[in-house]
Amino acid sequence: MAHSARMYDYYLGGKDNFPADRQAAEQVRLAMPEVVHGAVQNRAFLVRAIRYLAAEAGVRQFLDIGTGIPTRPNLHEVAQSAAPQSRLVYVDNDPIVLAHARALLVSSPQGATAYLDADFREPQRILTSPEVVEILDLAEPVGLSLGALLPFIPEQADPEGIVRQLMDALPSGSYLTLTYLTTDFSPTEVTRTVDIYRAQDIPVHPRTHDDVLRFFGGFDLVDPGLTPLHRWRPDTGTAVQPEAEEGGQLAYAGVARKP
Ligand SMILES: C[S@@+](CC[C@H](N)C(=O)[O-])C[C@H]1O[C@@H](n2cnc3c(N)ncnc32)[C@H](O)[C@@H]1O
């Protein structure tokens, strides 16, 4: 069977994937050619968001859940290039990601990183794990990052409630960063893609703009709010697609501060 982490690695041009992953990923690419660009844009957003948090918002600690197979730059490399003392804990529940985790542990000497093999659906286990307790000071602001993770969490597991539990454990001045797959722009293609994932036993739950917004209830969205991936603070000099050509957009991105 294919795995979501290895299919995503394949979209990004990585080598840590097997024939079953490539086959399912190719089916997705046929159904939705924008997927490769979407994966690249998802990573590019995460890089801009972490850079913003480290360089502009002064955040020095990060908790990244649903990390994925290492890919350059990894998020601690982004944070530590802005602030070398940044500390980051990575969390994923996929044994494939665990097998590659060594690449995530090469920290700057002034900072620190750790890897925790755990499930997002066990927030208390994550928050009380030795990795989090040793690396992060939960009395100081933390940037919680959930890149392309939440669509894999079934509604019955209450993803919004889990995000709230995690944010409740973090102090004022902490940030929530997330990306989320949507049917708003390419409904037919995204629905076909969801079917391909489901056939591999990987349930995926896309959301509308308003439904993604619900994750940010009670927090202050950083400008420009919840936008398609490429519209969130594009790097200077990047040509941003006109709104009329927004058809290929696959996901929303947002960053919000806990007041
Ligand atoms: C599409 S990848 C995203 C990787 C990275 N965050 C990014 O956005 O570039 C989704 C990751 O979420 C992980 N994942 C899925 N369900 C999870 C769960 N319940 N707990 C922890 N990780 C999970 C998968 O193993 C995979 O590595």
Side-chain angles (χ1 to χ4, degrees):
M1 281 303 224
H3 277 248
S4 66
R6 293 190 309 230
M7 288 171 70
Y8 183 70
D9 176 70
Y10 181 71
Y11 304 142
L12 288 174
K15 305 249 174 311
D16 300 310
N17 46 71
F18 297 127
D21 309 304
R22 296 195 279 277
Q23 221 166 42
E26 276 303 324
Q27 281 180 32
V28 171
R29 207 159 63 90
L30 278 177
M32 190 171 73
E34 304 85 3
V35 67
V36 171
H37 188 51
V40 170
Q41 281 192 339
N42 185 65
R43 269 323 286 183
F45 160 77
L46 288 177
V47 167
R48 295 197 302 280
I50 299 299
R51 198 197 305 132
Y52 164 80
L53 293 177
E56 293 184 46
V59 177
R60 295 290 174 264
Q61 326 184 81
F62 298 86
L63 178 59
D64 177 59
I65 310 182
T67 295
I69 292 167
T71 179
R72 301 312 282 270
N74 291 300
L75 298 186
H76 72 281
E77 294 161 341
V78 177
Q80 292 180 346
S81 67
Q85 69 274 42
S86 298
R87 300 190 299 280
L88 199 147
V89 177
Y90 292 109
V91 182
D92 205 291
N93 71 342
D94 193 325
I96 286 122
V97 180
L98 175 64
H100 290 91
R102 207 172 317 143
L104 302 168
L105 302 177
V106 186
S107 169
S108 68
Q110 305 95 317
T113 63
Y115 181 83
L116 172 65
D117 181 23
D119 196 302
F120 167 77
R121 290 166 290 184
E122 300 175 304
Q124 294 313 321
R125 202 196 131 207
I126 295 175
L127 291 164
T128 56
S129 66
E131 287 79 0
V132 165
V133 170
E134 276 162 29
I135 300 274
L136 306 181
D137 173 2
L138 298 189
E140 292 292 322
V142 173
L144 172 64
S145 137
L146 308 171
L149 161 75
L150 295 168
F152 295 107
I153 309 300
E155 291 296 330
Q156 310 87 279
D158 187 18
E160 281 153 81
I162 300 172
V163 170
R164 212 167 310 120
Q165 281 185 58
L166 289 164
M167 290 302 289
D168 278 351
L170 308 179
S172 159
S174 293
Y175 284 82
L176 169 64
T177 295
L178 61 83
T179 63
Y180 206 110
L181 180 71
T182 187
T183 37
D184 283 357
F185 303 101
S186 307
T188 317
E189 290 83 349
V190 172
T191 305
R192 251 189 261 142
T193 295
V194 167
D195 290 342
I196 295 167
Y197 273 87
R198 196 162 291 146
Q200 298 294 324
D201 253 348
I202 309 170
V204 183
H205 312 275
R207 286 193 180 205
T208 61
H209 184 270
D210 285 357
D211 285 343
V212 180
L213 260 186
R214 295 212 307 266
F215 286 107
F216 292 104
F219 308 136
D220 301 327
L221 271 165
V222 168
D223 272 353
L226 183 67
T227 67
L229 295 167
H230 69 298
R231 289 201 173 277
W232 197 90
R233 297 184 178 237
D235 287 334
T236 331
T238 313
V240 176
Q241 214 175 348
E243 227 154 307
E245 292 167 24
E246 205 100 271
Q249 291 308 310
L250 301 180
Y252 286 115
V255 177
R257 183 179 185 278
K258 179 176 175 177

